[in-house]
Structures are given as structure tokens and as C-alpha cells.
Amino acid sequence: MAAALSGFSAGYAGPTVPVPFGSLLICDSAAGAVLLVDSITGSQSILSSGNALVAPSGIVIDSQGRIFVVDAGAASGTGAIIRIDLSSGLQSIVSSGGLFSSPVGLTLGPDNRLYVADLNAAGGAGAIIRVDPDTGSQSFVSKNGLFVDPMGLAFEQSGSMVIVDRNAFGGAVLRVNPTTGAQSVVASGGLLVDPWGLCVATDGSILVTDFEARSSKVVRVSAIGGVQSLLSLGGFMFSPWGIATSPSGELIVVDQDALGSDELSNGAVIGVNPTSGSQRLLSSGDQLRDPAGIAVVSVAVTPTISTTWGKVKNRYRE
């Protein structure tokens, strides 16, 4: 269903500052907040926190500059997609309840609709759900089948969708036809032990973050044949989740427990060279508690930034 929460505030008003092209939007599942991180300096600000946001885990921004966040803890635990205004941080619920059970992954399709990976939808096996960003209407794209715990998802240039599933075949990248819902396996096992996030590189390869205990990594998977290769291992990474490509081509990874610690306030944003796999620490600590999803700002706006944030329980690590 669609339910607009008119007048929802983003917290206390902060300074008005420009948002440069390439800035990073990060949803933090422990802080219940969406953060703005400067991709050059690593400085952090809060765009929106509290209110409808409980434990956001996936985030996208469309060509109109509208931010959409998926939050399994929102709407009294029924799960929701929340729209956040980039110029003010104001929130409104686009879609909640309905087919949602534990929605955690979010991507924007070539049809400008939202696609959600839900861990427990369709009776518990998991599903991909399409949501109209204007009306909030929901429909199944693909459900059950090969799914066990679908987490992250992205579209390929061909129009197909790729999904990481933590427990399918011991960890897998799956492909879904968004028209028919047909599922197939791209790659499984091997370096994929506990995959959580993915993005599609400009060359068409699939880049996957993997949570494997003490061996966290980024794995490159070829779109054809599913050949796996290790791109980056360890370093600053401890619990990597969201991954995206910056305008410069650098990979940006958000890590919930960077620097080898699982304490709160040890989250980080890590830059990874897409060729060599070398890492650099872009931003860490401060307001980064358990960063989960990431999106890159591709429009120029001037938002009002909130200076307050809250602590909530992280729902996704078990």
C-alpha cells in the first residue's frame, strides 16, 4: 500500500550546503539515518534521521534527485520504502506492508521503478518485489525457486537483474528475467561464502562484497560463465555490505565493522581500486555506526542538513 506521511521532519535543521556531484548517500542501519559523505574529504553530515527510519539497509537516487530507502523495521515492523527529499531531508512513506516481510535490498530499474529484495517474502523463501515510486503499488517479479536469502540486487545493461543470495547454494549470484521472473545461477560457491551486496561494473562484470569470517573480500564475477576472481581481500574490510561505482570508476564499499572491530561507531567507507584491488580509507567512525547501503549523488542540489541522529538496533547481523 502507499501511505504518505506529510509533514514528517528530518530532525533539527542544520546548515545549508551544496551537495557536489559524486557525493555519497549512505543509509546506516544502527543509526536509523541517511548520511551524506563527501567523496573527496570524507566529511560526514546527516541528511535525515529518525521518524520513519528505523534500520535502513538499501538506498537509491533517481534522475529527479529523489532518494528512496528500504527499511525492514519501518512501519511498525512491516517494512517500507521511504522517500527522502534531498533538498530538505523530509520523509514520506511510499509503500509499506503488503508483500513486504523483510525487505533489505533496493535498486532502481531502467523502467524507473523500484525493485526490492526481500529475505522472507512469499512464505519465507524470499522474493523480488516491484514497487511503483509514485503510487506505491507492489507486485512480485520473482519468488521462491532458487531464493533462500536474497540480499543485494542490480540491473545489467542487458536489462536482466542480478541478485546475491547469502545461502542459495552456499552463497550465490543469481540472474532474474524481470519480465518473466525466470531464475538462473550465474555463480555459486568458490569465493562466494557469505555474499551481501553487489553492483555491476562498467565492463559488465559483477562485483560482490562477501562477509566471510576474517576473510572479507570483494569478488569479481564474469557476467558470462560466472568465473570468479578475487579483487580485494581484508585490509580495511571486516563486514562489507553495500558497494557502488563512483564517477571516477573507483569502487566504494561501506563496511559495518571496519578496521577489525564489531563495536559500534567503527563503520567505514572504503575506496577500492577496480583494477588492482588496493584500498583507501575514505571515511570512518564518527556518525558511521553500521552503514549498509550506498548510492552516488548524480544531481546538483542544496540540501538542509540535520545535525541530530539516533541509535537503533541493527536487525540484520545474526
Side-chain angles (χ1 to χ4, degrees):
M1 71 177 182
L5 300 183
S6 59
F8 252 40
S9 66
Y12 298 110
T16 299
V17 295
V19 179
F21 177 83
S23 295
L24 309 176
L25 290 165
I26 294 170
C27 55
D28 193 296
S29 59
V34 172
L35 309 178
L36 186 66
V37 175
D38 188 294
S39 60
I40 304 300
T41 67
S43 63
Q44 306 169 17
S45 302
I46 294 177
L47 177 62
S48 192
S49 66
N51 295 314
L53 294 171
V54 178
S57 55
I59 185 168
V60 297
I61 181 170
D62 69 8
S63 59
Q64 300 177 49
R66 298 182 301 177
I67 301 167
F68 297 94
V69 173
V70 67
D71 189 319
S76 300
T78 63
I81 292 179
I82 303 161
R83 182 171 58 242
I84 298 175
D85 187 277
L86 185 53
S87 65
S88 66
L90 293 176
Q91 306 171 13
S92 60
I93 290 183
V94 172
S95 188
S96 63
L99 301 178
F100 292 157
S101 178
S102 299
V104 293
L106 183 66
T107 194
L108 184 68
D111 56 359
N112 292 316
R113 295 190 180 185
L114 302 167
Y115 290 78
V116 178
D118 192 300
L119 291 170
N120 296 309
I128 305 301
I129 300 167
R130 182 188 291 112
V131 178
D132 187 304
D134 298 313
T135 68
S137 63
Q138 306 173 5
S139 60
F140 282 123
V141 176
S142 188
K143 60 183 178 179
N144 301 322
L146 302 176
F147 294 148
V148 180
D149 286 313
M151 294 286 294
L153 70 171
F155 274 87
E156 299 177 288
Q157 294 179 356
S158 66
S160 294
M161 198 184 319
V162 284
I163 297 103
V164 284
D165 191 301
R166 292 181 61 193
N167 292 309
F169 307 102
V173 176
L174 308 175
R175 179 174 285 120
V176 167
N177 183 312
T179 302
T180 66
Q183 305 173 7
S184 60
V185 178
V186 178
S188 64
L191 295 171
L192 301 174
V193 177
D194 193 4
W196 279 53
L198 88 171
C199 70
V200 176
T202 54
D203 64 0
S205 61
I206 303 160
L207 299 162
V208 180
T209 55
D210 194 284
F211 247 69
E212 183 181 2
R214 308 297 173 183
S215 298
S216 294
K217 54 189 174 288
V218 176
V219 179
R220 188 187 303 276
V221 178
S222 64
I224 299 175
V227 178
Q228 303 176 29
S229 58
L230 182 65
L231 175 61
S232 192
L233 174 68
F236 296 118
M237 294 187 298
F238 192 80
S239 303
W241 189 342
I243 183 170
T245 302
S246 72
S248 69
E250 183 180 36
L251 300 176
I252 309 295
V253 173
V254 290
D255 192 295
Q256 296 191 321
D257 302 311
L259 312 178
S261 171
D262 60 3
E263 297 297 321
L264 288 176
S265 298
N266 278 293
V269 183
I270 301 162
V272 177
N273 185 296
T275 302
S276 68
S278 62
Q279 303 176 16
R280 68 183 182 103
L281 190 62
L282 199 157
S283 188
S284 64
D286 193 8
Q287 297 169 90
L288 289 166
R289 298 168 70 81
D290 274 332
I294 180 171
V296 179
V297 175
S298 57
V299 293
V301 293
T302 303
T304 299
I305 304 298
S306 166
T307 58
T308 63
W309 57 292
K311 175 182 177 181
V312 296
K313 182 179 179 182
N314 183 347
R315 294 171 172 263
Y316 306 111
R317 286 181 298 168
E318 298 176 353

